[in-house]
Amino acid sequence: MEWSNGAVRIAYERAGKGKPLLLLHGWGDGKVRFDVFWDAFVARGNDVIALDFPGHGDSSLPPEPWSVTEYADMTLAFLDDLGVETCDIIAHSFGARVAICMASHAPQRFDKLLLTGAAGMIPKRGPDYYLRVYAYKLGKHVAKIPWLGKALGLDAKMRSAGSSDYQSLDGVMRSTFVKVVNQDLRPLLPSIQAPTLLVWGEYDAATPLWMGRVMEAEIPDAALVLFEGASHYAFVEHSRRFFSIADAFLWK
């Protein structure tokens, strides 16, 4: 299925009848991440909806660099056009960023949130981080001087700077990634009214456990469930346990 607002084209899937359940995937992923749960969610009596965010899966690129805010606004417009007034959300990582933004700005639209490996907080950074940023910015300026940049080997160094996620991107998605990861959503947490369950992998390196503990403390009605020995993809690694938790939290 496809949806478009004239600026982006969204690929999505929808199946089942009952209360709407929106599935939001992580960065660099797609709606297929939830395939393992799809039939069970539909059989549970839900109107299940999963989309590919712009720049992911089978959807088009955003027309310009987007922040989380633009992704959230687009998703709300998508729900409006599908006739979804209220729903529950299951979201992973970047999808949780979008869920946090939507639930804080349109709390009447969302009944329950199940967020796993939720992103949205700025990592703790020491002096070495800021030294690297300063060195990178200085290197970019020096690299613009052709003979000097080449002599110092700065062209190659600039191309290899940044995280693996950053390096895998170019054009509008690279700029979008920078905007997304530098948008601190922590101030929005107290505005979330929906009961929120946080599922976290003990050894999540992408969104460390301390982030989950902060979200549990600052979202008014939140609880944290720890999956021992699991990673950022705890919900996939322990899919049966995750479904049991979703079943108990969302439908009982």
Side-chain angles (χ1 to χ4, degrees), residues 27-210:
W27 185 269
D29 219 330
K31 60 184 181 296
V32 296
R33 177 61 68 182
F34 295 101
D35 281 358
V36 66
F37 303 105
W38 187 265
D39 290 342
F41 287 159
V42 171
R44 193 63 182 79
N46 292 275
D47 174 10
V48 186
I49 303 164
L51 73 157
D52 287 333
F53 284 120
H56 300 78
D58 296 322
S59 293
S60 66
L61 295 172
E64 59 188 10
W66 276 12
S67 69
V68 182
T69 305
E70 282 76 36
Y71 277 100
D73 289 344
M74 182 279 304
T75 306
L76 286 170
F78 168 76
L79 292 175
D80 286 343
D81 284 356
L82 265 59
V84 176
E85 296 181 358
T86 61
C87 66
D88 296 325
I89 295 179
I90 296 178
H92 175 235
S93 196
F94 168 70
R97 293 182 191 264
V98 178
I100 288 168
C101 195
M102 292 194 299
S104 64
H105 288 117
Q108 74 283 0
R109 301 288 300 269
F110 306 101
D111 294 326
K112 291 183 179 180
L113 309 179
L114 202 174
L115 311 180
T116 177
M121 297 179 59
I122 301 296
K124 297 175 181 178
R125 293 165 173 169
D128 59 329
Y129 167 82
Y130 295 100
L131 285 173
R132 290 197 302 272
V133 170
Y134 176 77
Y136 175 74
K137 290 181 177 180
L138 179 61
K140 283 181 66 176
H141 288 296
V142 175
K144 292 178 181 178
I145 306 172
W147 66 270
L148 183 56
K150 185 175 181 180
L152 296 175
L154 291 177
D155 290 345
K157 291 179 181 178
M158 292 300 101
R159 287 194 297 270
S160 63
S163 68
S164 58
D165 281 339
Y166 177 81
Q167 287 301 321
S168 69
L169 303 169
D170 55 22
V172 69
M173 289 310 293
R174 179 173 282 197
S175 299
T176 292
F177 179 77
V178 172
K179 293 185 75 170
V180 164
V181 299
N182 286 292
Q183 186 172 354
D184 185 11
L185 303 183
R186 184 171 180 175
L188 303 182
L189 300 180
S191 301
I192 296 174
Q193 297 178 17
T196 302
L197 186 62
L198 304 160
V199 173
W200 231 271
E202 180 182 12
Y203 299 121
D204 188 333
T207 53
L209 181 56
W210 69 263

Side-chain angles (χ1 to χ4, degrees), residues 215-251:
M215 290 185 183
E216 180 187 29
E218 298 188 6
I219 295 173
D221 186 5
L224 176 66
V225 176
L226 180 65
F227 280 20
E228 296 81 359
S231 74
H232 189 53
Y233 290 87
F235 72 114
V236 177
E237 295 164 356
H238 301 276
S239 57
R240 290 186 178 180
R241 182 182 178 191
F242 183 80
F243 178 79
S244 295
I245 287 172
D247 184 61
F249 176 63
L250 296 177
W251 305 304

